[in-house]
Amino acid sequence: AQKVTQAQTEISVVEKEDVTLDCVYETRDTTYYLFWYKQPPSGELVFLIRRNSFDEQNEISGRYSWNFQKSTSSFNFTITASQVVDSAVYFCALLPNYGGSQGNLIFGKGTKLSVKP
Amino acid sequence: GAVVSQHPSRVICKSGTSVKIECRSLDFQATTMFWYRQFPKKSLMLMATSNEGSKATYEQGVEKDKFLINHASLTLSTLTVTSAHPEDSSFYICSVRLAAYEQYFGPGTRLTVT
């Protein structure tokens, strides 16, 4: 089965706290892509990162960092020193079998992050 | 800048009427566009894949006659919700895939059926 699980439905933190959003995926494919998207209250999905299955190198972009571990099928997202503007729903997504017949994006249920001042 | 636009951003219609939502790929030609539906506080659900010049491919459980999709050009796909009912009220999002791993989303259209 192809599946993305975001076990945290809602997280609330106080500004400047660090927060990690969990994402666990399931796929039979050896090649695939993983994504994180941010959906602010306006509704538009904002692309944050894409990672292919052969690249387990962690990535840092400003206050954002991602930890991809194939051994545990996880692709967690950490926001350091959170800010109120980080408040949004965050979706993790899986794109299976990109090299052959392309699959469709499979989204997790999302994690709603609320950052309070 | 934005890659995908949607129009309208919000629409309110009466039950029984039809409403058309447009999705445009602004800077790229897109042979494939996707239509998603999102209920409040829920994830995105793929409704259909829109293929330029051919019939759309609908996901299981999505009514083809209710949600008409037309992909008449490489930059425009339309979703028409026919004979809308209150349960069709939702957030509709289109997406453009430019490569195997590059998918961009429109800003969404909030449909309210009264």
Side-chain angles (χ1 to χ4, degrees), chain A residues 57-76:
Chain A
Q57 192 170 14
N58 291 329
E59 181 157 338
I60 298 174
S61 176
R63 297 185 296 108
Y64 296 169
S65 62
W66 291 269
N67 184 339
F68 176 27
Q69 294 200 354
K70 289 179 76 171
S71 60
T72 55
S73 296
S74 65
F75 186 42
N76 296 338

Side-chain angles (χ1 to χ4, degrees), chain B:
Chain B
V3 176
V4 184
S5 71
Q6 275 183 248
H7 178 79
S9 57
R10 284 180 179 270
V11 58
I12 301 173
C13 70
K14 292 187 176 180
S15 188
T17 63
S18 295
V19 60
K20 181 186 287 186
I21 303 169
E22 290 186 351
C23 175
R24 292 183 184 273
S25 176
L26 296 178
D27 296 320
F28 304 92
Q29 294 182 331
T31 54
T32 302
M33 293 184 176
F34 302 90
W35 285 97
Y36 293 84
R37 181 176 181 175
Q38 186 180 29
F39 290 102
K41 299 185 180 182
K42 298 292 184 183
S43 188
L44 281 76
M45 181 192 80
L46 179 64
M47 298 175 64
T49 302
S50 171
N51 302 299
E52 189 267 337
S54 63
K55 291 183 179 180
T57 303
Y58 289 81
E59 295 299 302
Q60 194 172 11
V62 178
E63 297 177 61
K64 301 178 184 181
D65 296 331
K66 176 125 186 101
F67 299 100
L68 300 179
I69 291 172
N70 183 282
H71 193 156
S73 77
L74 288 171
T75 59
L76 174 64
S77 175
T78 59
L79 167 68
T80 301
V81 182
T82 63
S83 187
H85 291 286
E87 57 263 32
D88 298 325
S89 298
S90 195
F91 193 55
Y92 293 88
I93 306 173
C94 74
S95 176
V96 169
R97 178 177 289 174
L98 301 180
Y101 46 82
E102 282 190 64
Q103 190 161 335
Y104 299 91
F105 290 84
T109 296
R110 192 163 302 282
L111 170 63
T112 303
V113 184
T114 61

Side-chain angles (χ1 to χ4, degrees), chain A residues 4 23 33-37 91-95 105-108:
Chain A
V4 175
C23 173
Y33 273 97
L34 294 165
F35 299 78
W36 275 96
Y37 289 92
F91 290 97
C92 179
L94 165 71
L95 182 64
L105 274 175
I106 298 166
F107 285 89

